[in-house]
Amino acid sequence: MRAVLQRIDSAQVEVDGEIVGAIDGEGLLALVGVTHSDGADQVATLARKIAELRILRGERSVTEAGAGVLVVSQFTLYGDARKGRRPSWSAAAPGAVAEPLVDSLVEALRSRGITVATGRFGADMRVELVNDGPTTLVLDV
């Protein structure tokens, strides 16, 4: 699994003019991609990292700060643009594989007591955020 974590002051996801997920206040936006070999071990590792990384102000984690996480699935994180002008998406897992793993990640975070909002899997989403810092990390697990 791959995630791009952005420290935020707020973030929201809109689908067809409707806000489907939002975090108002300190937290993280997690753009999450899934590849073919991912499974429960990667979900557990990524959930732990998102919950425990000390990247909020004051070197606090989401868990310590009581902050929220907005999780947005993003298959394009596995795009390969090394050749030609069109990216290849072959490293991204198909929806039937990726969606349950993203859902498992959301549930793993919620089981830790974290407030989690989400986008809508497979939808054309508009993501807005106020990036704090900016602080952005790429995680590969």
Side-chain angles (χ1 to χ4, degrees), residues 70-132:
L70 176 58
V71 174
V72 177
S73 63
Q74 191 164 354
F75 77 92
T76 61
L77 292 179
Y78 279 102
D80 184 352
R82 290 178 288 184
K83 295 181 182 178
R85 298 180 300 154
R86 289 192 179 127
S88 168
W89 311 114
S90 62
V97 173
E99 186 173 13
L101 291 175
V102 173
D103 290 346
S104 292
L105 174 65
V106 169
E107 289 309 311
L109 291 169
R110 286 180 176 152
S111 73
R112 290 172 166 264
I114 297 169
T115 299
V116 181
T118 66
R120 187 172 296 154
F121 192 91
D124 185 17
M125 297 177 270
R126 297 186 61 84
V127 180
E128 296 180 24
L129 72 143
V130 177
N131 197 319
D132 179 20

Side-chain angles (χ1 to χ4, degrees), residues 5-90:
L5 299 182
Q6 295 182 296
R7 187 173 70 191
I8 59 166
D9 286 329
S10 64
Q12 68 179 28
V13 178
E14 184 179 302
V15 176
D16 295 328
E18 172 192 357
I19 296 172
V20 297
I23 296 293
D24 187 28
E26 178 181 43
L28 295 176
L29 169 63
L31 305 172
V32 178
V34 178
T35 194
H36 303 279
S37 59
D38 288 336
D41 289 345
Q42 288 75 25
V43 168
T45 299
L46 186 55
R48 181 179 53 77
K49 286 285 195 181
I50 291 171
E52 297 177 6
L53 275 174
R54 300 172 66 97
I55 60 172
L56 298 181
R57 292 210 180 261
E59 293 188 11
R60 296 172 303 141
S61 69
V62 166
T63 302
E64 292 167 330
V69 178
L70 176 58
V71 174
V72 177
S73 63
Q74 191 164 354
F75 77 92
T76 61
L77 292 179
Y78 279 102
D80 184 352
R82 290 178 288 184
K83 295 181 182 178
R85 298 180 300 154
R86 289 192 179 127
S88 168
W89 311 114
S90 62

